[in-house]
Amino acid sequence: MIERLEAPAFTLRQLSFLVCAADEGTIAAAAARLHASPSAVSEAITELERGLGTPLTVRRRARGLTLTSTGADVVARARALLASSRELEASLRGAPGELVGPVTIGCYPTLAPTILPALLQGFGRAHPRVELAILEATHDRLQGRLEAGQVDVAFVYDTLIPGEPQRAKLFELPAHVVVAGDDPLASADSVRLDELVERDLILLDAPPSSEHTMSLFAARGLAPRVRHRVQSYEAVRALVGRGLGYGILVQRPANPASYEGYPVAMKEIAPPVAPVGVDVIWPATPAPTARARALIDYARSLPWPQPR
C-alpha cells in the first residue's frame, strides 16, 4: 500500500518570516530585512499560527514581538528545516561532490588580518562556487548570531562565547607590549608590567581584548593608567608609534611599523603571561553544512603562527 503524502499546513516562506521576526524583534525590522511589507510579514505569521493551530507570537505595537513557548520551539525546528532546504537547493546547483552555496564567516577584528587572507585565498581556490561572506565583529556582537543561523563559522579568542558552540583550537599566542621604536624599553629583552603602571596605556577597548589587558595587570595587583581608548588594533599601534603611550596586544604583524610608518617594537612580558588561544567555532545544532565543515577542516589544516 502506497502511503498517502499530505502537504504540511505551512510553507517555508512562512517559517522564514517567523524566524526573521524572532531574530529582529519587530515586524517592521523583519520586513526591512526581508524586503517585504510589514503587512506581508504579519499575515504570513498569522497564517502559520492558523495552520499549526496555536499562537506562536505575542505582538504588541509598542513592545515589538515575542515568542510563546511553542513559538520558541517552532523557531528552533524551523532553523534546522530552513537550513536543510537551503542545502538541498545548493546541492542541486552543483556537480556531484562539488561544494556550492553560501558560508558566512564571523571573525574578531584583530584576528581578521591573520586569519582571513590565507583562509579565503586557499579555500576560495579549492572551492570557487562557495560564496564566502565576512562579518567582522567583536565577541559581544557575535553573541547569538551562531545560534540564530546568521553565522556558520567564527574565528574568535578562546574566551567565553554565549551558548555552547562546537570549537577547535587553531593556535595560541601570549600578549606582548608595544612601545615606540625610540622608547628606552625598545632595546630591553622583555618588559615587566610594574614598569608600565606609571606610563600611559593606549587600550584596545573592544571585548574581550580590554578585559584581557586589564586582567593581566589585576593578576599582579597593578592598575594601569589608561590615556586613550580605541577600538582598532592599528589605532593602538599608530598612537604608540607617535609616542603617546604603550599598548598590550596579542596578534603580531610582520610589519615593524605603525600605519603611518613610525617604528614600533614588540616586547615580551616578564614574567610570562598565559597565552591566548584562537578558536574556530560553529553551532552545536544544526550540524554544519558540508561546505562549512570543509571550511572548518581547511582552517585546522593551515600552519598558523606559533609562540616566539
Side-chain angles (χ1 to χ4, degrees):
M1 180 178 178
I2 299 176
E3 182 181 358
R4 181 180 177 184
L5 299 178
E6 295 185 3
F10 55 83
T11 67
L12 292 177
R13 177 176 179 271
Q14 292 169 345
L15 292 178
S16 66
F17 279 24
L18 173 66
V19 169
C20 186
D23 289 342
E24 297 297 330
T26 68
I27 295 293
R33 178 174 155 193
L34 292 164
H35 303 291
S37 68
S39 61
V41 175
S42 182
E43 182 179 347
I45 295 174
T46 299
E47 287 297 318
L48 178 60
E49 292 175 319
R50 185 177 296 119
L52 294 178
T54 184
L56 305 175
T57 63
V58 176
R59 286 173 261 178
R60 299 186 179 94
R61 185 176 300 274
R63 300 183 183 177
L65 174 146
T66 57
L67 296 174
T68 64
S69 58
T70 301
D73 181 59
V74 170
V75 166
R77 296 182 184 215
R79 293 191 196 282
L81 186 56
L82 291 168
S84 295
S85 67
R86 288 191 293 267
E87 277 303 288
L88 174 61
E89 182 182 12
S91 67
L92 296 176
R93 295 204 307 261
E98 183 181 24
L99 296 179
V100 178
V103 173
T104 299
I105 301 170
C107 190
Y108 189 78
T110 63
L111 291 174
T114 300
I115 297 287
L116 296 183
L119 185 76
L120 299 184
Q121 183 181 49
F123 188 82
R125 184 183 296 123
H127 304 286
R129 298 194 64 189
V130 174
E131 304 153 19
L132 299 174
I134 309 300
L135 171 65
E136 287 189 67
T138 52
H139 284 201
D140 55 329
R141 289 189 56 227
L142 283 174
Q143 180 177 350
R145 291 179 182 260
L146 285 170
E147 293 83 354
Q150 298 172 3
V151 171
D152 299 299
V153 179
F155 296 89
V156 297
Y157 291 113
D158 64 357
T159 53
L160 178 66
I161 292 291
E164 298 180 352
Q166 301 295 302
R167 62 200 314 147
K169 188 173 296 296
L170 298 180
F171 61 94
E172 56 184 19
L173 294 170
H176 61 275
V177 177
V178 184
V179 296
D182 59 358
D183 190 293
L185 293 178
S187 59
D189 293 331
S190 60
V191 176
R192 298 178 61 87
L193 293 181
D194 55 15
E195 296 180 78
L196 301 172
V197 289
E198 298 302 321
R199 288 168 161 250
D200 291 329
L201 169 63
I202 310 299
L203 181 66
L204 177 57
D205 194 14
S209 294
S210 48
E211 292 87 346
H212 175 253
T213 295
M214 301 304 284
S215 72
L216 296 179
F217 287 94
R220 299 181 186 182
L222 303 172
R225 185 173 70 195
V226 179
R227 179 176 182 182
H228 296 298
R229 297 172 181 266
V230 295
Q231 295 187 324
S232 162
Y233 179 89
E234 281 300 333
V236 173
R237 287 167 54 87
L239 296 182
V240 169
R242 283 184 172 265
L244 298 179
Y246 68 94
I248 302 284
L249 299 172
V250 172
Q251 298 305 308
R252 301 167 181 253
N255 185 2
S258 72
Y259 191 84
E260 297 179 295
Y262 290 96
V264 297
M266 296 179 289
K267 314 306 298 184
E268 301 301 331
I269 297 173
V273 296
V276 177
V278 174
D279 291 357
V280 54
I281 64 175
W282 61 95
T285 56
T289 63
R291 54 189 179 272
R293 180 77 254 180
L295 181 70
I296 294 165
D297 292 342
Y298 182 77
R300 298 180 69 180
S301 73
L302 289 175
W304 297 110
Q306 298 299 317
R308 297 177 183 177

